[in-house]
Amino acid sequence: MKIFSTLGKYMYLIPLAIFGLFHFMNADAMSGMVPAFLPLKVVWVYLTGVALIAAVVAVIIDKKSKLALQLLGLMLLLFALLLWLPGAIEGDQSATSMFLKDFALAGAAWWASKDQSD
């Protein structure tokens, strides 16, 4: 059954790495999603891209993976609450889907962190 655990790990991590790369490929377009109260919007896009990729690398090489997953979960929960919840409350179905996705991914990161040692 270890095959399912390994497969699941990479099914979780690969999309996150791709999302991280997208932050570098589309930084200007993504900067419009950064909450209005934050300055230097493109910098935040790059920073979150680095954070996504760093979390993936930490888990793959098993260095500080528990901390990486805990911080990843926090970041994804903040995405859900700050980026998507306002639209979801207004009834935007796309924002609701994105909220639920990020909320679930945050929970999965925290759940996975319980099996990691630091």
Side-chain angles (χ1 to χ4, degrees), residues 64-104:
K64 298 291 184 186
S65 55
K66 184 173 190 160
L67 177 62
L69 286 165
Q70 290 171 342
L71 292 173
L72 176 64
L74 177 62
M75 184 172 73
L76 290 166
L77 181 62
L78 288 171
F79 288 173
L81 297 174
L82 295 174
L83 300 179
W84 307 119
L85 185 59
I89 289 170
E90 292 176 3
D92 181 334
Q93 190 171 6
S94 178
T96 301
S97 295
M98 295 300 284
F99 170 79
L100 293 172
K101 174 199 55 104
D102 284 347
F103 191 75

Side-chain angles (χ1 to χ4, degrees), residues 33-46:
M33 296 169 48
V34 176
F37 64 86
L38 291 173
L40 305 171
K41 296 183 183 322
V42 173
V43 173
W44 284 102
V45 174
Y46 287 130

Side-chain angles (χ1 to χ4, degrees), residues 50-63:
V50 168
L52 286 166
I53 294 168
V56 169
V57 170
V59 175
I60 289 173
I61 67 171
D62 198 25
K63 297 289 184 194

